[in-house]
Amino acid sequence: EYTKVYFLEYTDSLENLKFNDGEVDEVKWMTVEAIKEDIRNTPEAYSASLSGFEKISSYLEIKNNLV
């Protein structure tokens, strides 16, 4: 299975964030740890696995010198 993942640095309020394609049901801010915990508790709600998310979040931490 392939999953597309998009990351966006967005500095405006969520109320101003609009999607035109009708595919997005909800947008919310979550910490990396909160996302990991949510994937553990409700994996069926996510298209990516926990290990896949951990790889992506590790890459972004390194890329953005957050380590």
Side-chain angles (χ1 to χ4, degrees):
E1 178 178 329
Y2 292 95
T3 302
K4 288 184 180 180
V5 179
Y6 300 93
F7 291 90
L8 170 70
E9 184 175 336
Y10 185 75
T11 58
D12 205 346
S13 69
L14 287 181
E15 291 78 29
N16 294 328
L17 184 60
K18 305 293 182 213
F19 296 92
N20 296 323
D21 61 13
E23 293 186 12
V24 177
D25 292 329
E26 179 183 15
V27 175
K28 62 183 174 180
W29 298 123
M30 296 174 71
T31 65
V32 169
E33 289 306 316
I35 295 169
K36 288 178 184 178
E37 185 65 25
D38 204 38
I39 293 173
R40 282 186 202 98
N41 292 332
T42 56
E44 68 280 357
Y46 291 84
S47 58
S49 66
L50 178 58
S51 65
F53 178 76
E54 288 173 333
K55 287 176 187 174
I56 291 168
S57 61
S58 293
Y59 168 78
L60 291 172
E61 287 176 359
I62 293 167
K63 184 174 185 279
N64 291 305
N65 297 315
L66 299 175
V67 177

